Amino acid sequence: AAFVFDVREQRVLFAKNETRALPLASITKLMTALLAHELVEGDTEANISDAAISQDGDNGLTAGERFTVNELERLALITSSNDAAFALGASVGELLGEGNPHEQFVEAMNIRAEELELETLSFKNTTGLDISTTEAGALGSAKDVTFLMEHIIEKYPEIIESTRLGYARVYSEDGEYHDIENTNDYVSEIPNLIGSKTGYTDLAGGNLVVAFDIGLNRPIIVTVLGSTRAARFTDVMELVDAVQANVR
């Protein structure tokens, strides 16, 4: 599935299976970061729990480390850290009631999707990791992913700004740091990049959403879902090149 949208003109430039709900994989983390950003101050402290460390993947975090919400957002979005995304949701979720913090945050993610009228978005966890070989952690259409990205770059561009970096250093509140690498292999190839988010699981295949400025404050958003680990990048670049050749 693919969807290309001109934000300033509010015009669809390309669409293919754009309303079909597909597994989102780590694109889920856009909603995780958005909701955390809206609910708490960026300097709010969050702990890395054993449950966070048990998530798939290893970014070198350790149980007991403390980070600000802003730093966890960077970890979750730049290097797609599942540990960080889980810790972010669970820490903010503790403020939402007396129930399970992670479950409360996921419920709030679904409520936020409804409020934004992104009807195909459905979340079961904060990471986008597959729950089983047949059940995805989140679903959504290329069209709704695009409009989620549009909301972020229009309202809170600071959330996605750090994803323009190929590499970054993230500091914990304990004075330790972690050097991280962007999961978007083509981050330096996209002209005037505003932000991006990758996703990959067995069920999802390869996903990628990017926002870039074609010039004179004219953001274009390109979303590809259900590709492969490698082809998601070339698929998006083909659409970016087509926009540059035809729109300008």
Side-chain angles (χ1 to χ4, degrees), residues 65-247:
E65 273 192 287
R66 298 172 298 129
F67 292 87
T68 64
V69 164
N70 278 343
E71 293 295 84
L72 285 180
E73 288 173 4
R74 295 178 73 213
L75 275 163
L77 296 180
I78 298 174
T79 199
S80 208
S81 170
N82 294 314
D83 301 356
F86 187 93
L88 186 61
S91 296
V92 176
E94 290 179 351
L95 308 176
L96 301 179
E98 300 299 323
N100 179 286
H102 177 261
E103 293 176 359
Q104 290 179 155
F105 190 86
V106 172
E107 181 180 358
M109 291 170 68
N110 287 303
I111 291 171
R112 192 72 184 103
E114 292 178 6
E115 292 172 345
L116 294 172
E117 298 182 351
L118 305 176
E119 296 178 356
T120 67
L121 296 189
S122 175
F123 303 101
K124 295 183 179 178
N125 59 37
T126 57
T127 62
L129 287 169
D130 294 339
I131 295 171
S132 70
T133 57
T134 59
E135 185 178 8
L139 296 172
S141 68
K143 183 177 180 180
D144 280 348
V145 166
T146 298
F147 291 147
L148 174 61
M149 178 65 96
E150 178 191 29
H151 179 76
I152 290 172
I153 67 172
E154 293 279 274
K155 300 293 185 181
Y156 309 105
E158 63 273 16
I159 294 176
I160 205 74
E161 183 177 3
S162 62
T163 63
R164 295 181 297 187
L165 303 172
Y167 302 88
R169 177 167 286 181
V170 175
Y171 287 88
S172 73
E173 293 295 273
D174 307 296
E176 302 295 327
Y177 66 83
H178 300 270
D179 290 325
I180 59 175
E181 183 176 354
N182 201 318
T183 51
N184 181 358
D185 296 340
Y186 281 60
V187 67
S188 62
E189 304 295 323
I190 302 169
N192 302 315
L193 181 66
I194 298 170
S196 70
K197 186 68 198 81
T198 60
Y200 179 84
T201 67
D202 289 342
L203 289 179
N207 297 341
L208 180 61
V209 55
V210 306
F212 68 101
D213 193 336
I214 200 170
L216 300 176
N217 192 28
R218 189 174 180 182
I220 305 291
I221 301 173
V222 177
T223 300
V224 168
L225 301 180
S227 185
T228 68
R229 186 188 291 272
R232 56 184 164 166
F233 300 114
T234 53
D235 288 343
V236 164
M237 287 307 302
E238 184 176 350
L239 292 168
V240 169
D241 290 343
V243 169
Q244 289 187 295
N246 294 285
V247 174

